[in-house]
């Protein structure tokens, strides 16, 4: 007998936090952020207070409120808010399906001694996300920084204590990178990682082998990406296990099959071939398949794909992995170094501004790229606009002032459509920028990272579980199950025995 409790991903897209208990083992599947619930109370300018630890998140339903939270959440947060703290973790592991925030970001709040398991590529991506976050927010994934801790001061002024911070506060989590198909024994069960295709590399589903049968978890998946065969293999592997339960995502359960990533590449190619000067694009920085689409077009049209420092750092982390990312040393890839702080990167007089002064404009992790021969600046892009495809996202639109795209330049929107009022306002703001620089109208080239309703119901039929739990969807009633499969639409916090 196994027990499932859904603490997120119910009646919403994202926020997956699923507790599985079987044969003495207690594991979590994902521990993600709920965008919908969070946006009801918080935004960029109204954020939970760090001194409250998990309190604000639990109060507003963003984190599970459990009878005994001392064995789940970080001891430093609990102690500072006078909550009970247990010396031992009450859970055996958390298994992450991929590195998107709605599945992974809230592991920040988990105890450091709860082991985290994820595909090796996901581990690499989360390391890059942590390092490039700037130290703000709630982005402690592979390492946590012990908060609210004091130590004896070495100050000559005689103060007795000082706050522990920076590298001194860093404590490594027990974070394991999984090989494709690897099985991990946790108590009396085994958890098997099976790769799937999604809109970022390193995604997987899980097969939880319990004495009472297999529980299959899709994570997020699609069949139309360059590596769509991975999702097909997961479906076949899960079907062969004859699972007692399937926990299945349904983001696009109400949508028909549509174009795939190769169609996106064809659209990009048409735009680039018809563009005389600069091609500007906005696509998700972690979506390596989309990056690959732009890279392939750059290569076929004799252009160079300009990646920002954050993407360069990510690709460096993914080097020698199976993520399918191009090398930073490739002839059709350049690293775009934007102007920061004093804006010194474009100053040519090094007698006035030596290199070591210029580098002070950049974070430590950024400085390793500044001396590479394939670095370019806004001045380089401006002088040779027909040579480049450059990624500029919402946060870097001011770079257009430095680049000054010439007439005959193009903009490609390669992200998901706005999904709420705030996103509509954001898109309106982007369009004001594009209109100012003569980049309207622009081209849209995007496909989802999720399977269509037809594909999801085909997957359910093929796997043929005894019980189906729809998650990560706002329309669970649209799932169709084969004869003999019971569909249970889970309720938050309710325990289900299978």
């Amino acid at each position: 007998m196994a027990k499932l409790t859904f603490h997120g991903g119910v009646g919403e897209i994202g926020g997956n936090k699923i507790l599985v208990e079987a044969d003495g083992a207690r594991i979590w599947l994902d521990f993600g952020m709920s965008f919908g619930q969070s946006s009801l109370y918080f935004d960029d300018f109204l954020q939970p207070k760090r001194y409250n630890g998990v309190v604000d998140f639990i109060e507003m339903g963003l984190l599970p409120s459990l009878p005994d939270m001392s064995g789940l959440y970080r001891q430093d947060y609990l102690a500072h808010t006078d909550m009970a703290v247990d010396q031992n973790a009450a859970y055996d592991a958390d298994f992450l399906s991929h590195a998107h925030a709605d599945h992974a970001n809230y592991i920040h709040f988990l105890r450091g001694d709860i082991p985290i398991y994820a595909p090796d590529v996901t581990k690499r991506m989360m390391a890059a996300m942590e390092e490039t976050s700037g130290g703000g927010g709630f982005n402690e994934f592979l390492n946590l920084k012990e908060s609210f801790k004091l130590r004896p001061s070495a100050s000559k002024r005689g103060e007795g204590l000082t706050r522990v911070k920076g590298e001194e506060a860093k404590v490594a989590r027990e974070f394991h990178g999984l090989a494709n198909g690897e099985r991990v024994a946790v108590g009396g069960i085994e958890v098997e990682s099976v790769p799937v295709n999604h809109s970022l590399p390193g995604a997987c589903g899980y097969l939880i082998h319990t004495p009472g049968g297999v529980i299959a978890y899709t994570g997020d998946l699609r069949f139309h990406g360059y590596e769509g065969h991975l999702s097909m293999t997961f479906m076949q592997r899960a079907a062969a296990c004859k699972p007692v339960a399937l926990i299945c995502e349904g983001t696009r359960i109400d949508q028909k099959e549509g174009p795939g990533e190769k169609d996106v590449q064809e659209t990009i190619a048409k735009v680039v071939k018809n563009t005389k000067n600069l091609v500007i694009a906005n696509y998700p920085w972690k979506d390596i398949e989309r990056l690959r689409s732009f890279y392939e077009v750059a290569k076929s049209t004799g252009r160079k794909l300009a990646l920002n420092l954050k993407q360069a750092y990510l690709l460096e982390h993914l080097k020698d992995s199976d993520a399918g990312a191009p090398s930073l040393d490739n002839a059709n890839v350049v690293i775009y170094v934007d102007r920061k702080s004093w804006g010194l990167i474009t100053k040519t007089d090094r007698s006035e501004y030596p290199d070591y002064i210029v580098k002070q404009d950049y974070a430590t992790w950024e400085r390793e790229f500044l001396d590479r021969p394939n670095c370019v600046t806004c001045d380089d892009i401006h002088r040779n606009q027909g040579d480049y495809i450059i990624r500029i996202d919402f946060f870097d639109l001011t770079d257009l002032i430095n680049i000054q795209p010439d007439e005959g330049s193009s903009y490609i929107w390669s992200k998901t459509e706005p999904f709420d009022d705030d996103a509509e306002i954001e898109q309106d703001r982007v369009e004001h920028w594009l209109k100012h620089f003569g980049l309207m109208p622009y081209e849209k080239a995007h496909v989802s990272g999720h399977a269509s309703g037809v594909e999801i119901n085909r997957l359910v039929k093929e796997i043929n579980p005894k019980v189906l739990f729809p998650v990560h969807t706002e329309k669970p009633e649209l799932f169709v199950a084969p004869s003999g499969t019971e569909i249970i639409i889970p309720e938050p916090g309710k325990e289900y025995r299978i």
Side-chain angles (χ1 to χ4, degrees), residues 62-73:
L62 301 176
L63 285 173
S65 177
L66 305 176
D68 178 15
M69 292 180 286
S70 65
L72 177 63
Y73 295 124

Side-chain angles (χ1 to χ4, degrees), residues 73-386:
Y73 295 124
R74 292 172 53 158
Q75 294 104 311
D76 55 341
Y77 284 4
L78 297 180
H80 192 67
T81 52
D82 299 322
M83 300 174 75
V85 179
D86 198 308
Q87 293 303 308
N88 300 309
Y91 301 89
D92 297 291
D94 187 291
F95 288 83
L96 299 180
S97 63
H98 61 285
H100 275 149
D102 60 334
H103 290 255
N105 266 29
Y106 280 179
I107 66 168
H108 170 97
F109 298 100
L110 296 181
R111 293 172 59 111
D113 55 352
I114 295 178
I116 309 296
Y117 293 89
D120 178 65
V121 168
T122 294
K123 180 181 178 182
R124 296 181 188 218
M125 295 189 72
M126 297 197 73
M129 291 159 56
E130 178 177 298
E131 185 64 30
T132 60
S133 67
F138 301 92
N139 301 299
E140 297 169 16
F141 305 133
L142 275 70
N143 304 279
L144 60 81
K145 292 184 177 179
E146 292 185 304
S147 301
F148 320 116
K149 187 176 181 180
L150 302 174
R151 64 163 173 77
S153 173
S155 170
K156 295 180 180 179
R157 293 179 297 179
E159 290 103 337
L161 298 171
T162 189
R163 298 181 181 188
V164 176
K165 55 186 178 181
E167 290 298 309
E168 186 182 7
K170 186 180 290 187
V171 177
R173 291 184 182 275
E174 187 181 340
F175 203 124
H176 304 272
L178 298 173
N180 293 343
E182 184 173 350
R183 291 171 70 134
V184 177
V186 181
I189 68 174
E190 283 193 338
V191 182
E192 179 183 356
S193 164
V194 184
V196 299
N197 185 247
H198 188 37
S199 54
L200 84 176
C204 77
Y206 287 107
L207 301 175
I208 301 99
H209 299 263
T210 79
V214 169
I215 300 168
Y217 175 53
T218 63
D220 287 355
L221 81 177
R222 67 180 182 182
F223 295 87
H224 59 259
Y226 292 128
E227 305 295 328
H229 64 275
L230 295 176
S231 299
M232 187 68 68
T233 300
F234 170 83
M235 180 176 70
Q236 294 165 349
R237 174 76 185 114
C241 293
K242 302 185 184 304
V244 293
L246 170 63
I247 306 168
C248 184
E249 77 114 319
T251 309
R252 297 178 58 228
I253 191 65
D254 60 334
Q255 296 180 31
K256 298 179 180 179
E257 291 183 80
E261 190 63 38
K262 292 181 181 179
D263 298 295
V264 170
Q265 183 178 325
E266 290 178 5
T267 300
I268 295 168
K270 289 178 183 177
V271 176
V272 174
K273 288 174 182 177
N274 291 324
T275 300
K276 176 183 176 182
N277 288 312
L278 184 62
V279 177
I280 304 160
N282 186 7
Y283 57 92
W285 77 280
K286 290 181 286 187
D287 189 341
I288 298 300
E289 289 206 354
R290 186 61 44 80
L291 185 156
R292 177 176 160 187
S293 291
F294 278 97
Y295 163 75
E296 293 293 344
V297 171
K299 187 168 69 170
S300 66
T301 57
R303 291 184 182 240
K304 296 178 181 179
L305 179 62
L307 308 178
N308 66 15
L309 290 168
K310 193 172 183 179
Q311 278 194 305
Y313 192 76
L314 176 60
L315 262 60
E316 195 71 3
H317 270 265
L318 296 177
K319 187 167 58 178
D320 302 323
S321 76
D322 60 0
S327 168
L328 286 177
D329 298 324
N330 191 285
N332 291 97
V333 173
V334 295
I335 302 169
Y336 173 60
V337 182
D338 56 330
R339 298 175 68 190
K340 294 190 175 184
S341 187
W342 285 27
L344 299 179
I345 195 66
T346 54
K347 298 288 186 181
T348 56
D349 186 353
R350 286 297 184 259
S351 63
E352 183 179 4
Y353 297 108
D355 283 346
Y356 69 90
I357 295 294
V358 174
K359 288 183 177 180
Q360 290 177 24
D361 275 354
Y362 298 89
T364 302
W365 64 266
E366 294 174 310
R367 295 173 188 172
E368 66 180 271
F369 300 104
L370 302 186
D371 297 324
R372 294 211 180 190
N374 62 337
C375 282
V376 297
T377 68
C378 56
D379 289 351
D380 299 315
I381 300 288
H382 174 71
R383 285 191 296 265
N384 303 285
Q385 297 195 20

Side-chain angles (χ1 to χ4, degrees), residues 293-490:
S293 291
F294 278 97
Y295 163 75
E296 293 293 344
V297 171
K299 187 168 69 170
S300 66
T301 57
R303 291 184 182 240
K304 296 178 181 179
L305 179 62
L307 308 178
N308 66 15
L309 290 168
K310 193 172 183 179
Q311 278 194 305
Y313 192 76
L314 176 60
L315 262 60
E316 195 71 3
H317 270 265
L318 296 177
K319 187 167 58 178
D320 302 323
S321 76
D322 60 0
S327 168
L328 286 177
D329 298 324
N330 191 285
N332 291 97
V333 173
V334 295
I335 302 169
Y336 173 60
V337 182
D338 56 330
R339 298 175 68 190
K340 294 190 175 184
S341 187
W342 285 27
L344 299 179
I345 195 66
T346 54
K347 298 288 186 181
T348 56
D349 186 353
R350 286 297 184 259
S351 63
E352 183 179 4
Y353 297 108
D355 283 346
Y356 69 90
I357 295 294
V358 174
K359 288 183 177 180
Q360 290 177 24
D361 275 354
Y362 298 89
T364 302
W365 64 266
E366 294 174 310
R367 295 173 188 172
E368 66 180 271
F369 300 104
L370 302 186
D371 297 324
R372 294 211 180 190
N374 62 337
C375 282
V376 297
T377 68
C378 56
D379 289 351
D380 299 315
I381 300 288
H382 174 71
R383 285 191 296 265
N384 303 285
Q385 297 195 20
D387 293 344
Y388 297 103
I389 301 172
I390 184 171
R391 178 187 178 273
I392 293 181
D393 66 19
F394 301 145
F395 306 103
D396 296 322
L397 284 169
T398 52
D399 284 9
L400 294 176
I401 297 173
N402 297 326
I403 292 172
Q404 289 292 315
D406 290 333
E407 184 179 352
S409 296
S410 298
Y411 180 88
I412 301 174
W413 180 292
S414 194
K415 299 185 70 171
T416 188
E417 294 296 317
F419 55 88
D420 59 21
D421 290 342
D422 289 339
E424 292 278 4
I425 294 170
E426 182 180 68
Q427 187 177 23
D428 287 345
R429 187 177 297 116
V430 171
E431 291 179 357
H432 283 302
W433 279 86
L434 300 183
K435 184 177 181 180
H436 179 86
F437 285 101
L439 296 169
M440 293 284 281
Y442 58 88
E443 186 71 38
K444 295 181 181 180
H446 180 67
V447 289
S448 173
H450 302 271
S452 68
V454 173
E455 292 166 320
I456 286 293
N457 284 322
R458 187 185 303 144
L459 175 145
V460 172
K461 182 178 180 180
E462 179 70 21
I463 294 177
N464 193 27
K466 291 183 179 178
V467 181
L468 168 66
F469 293 95
V471 295
H472 206 284
T473 181
E474 295 175 342
K475 300 179 179 179
E477 70 279 0
L478 297 184
F479 275 74
V480 177
S483 175
T485 294
E486 178 186 7
I487 300 179
I488 297 178
I489 299 176

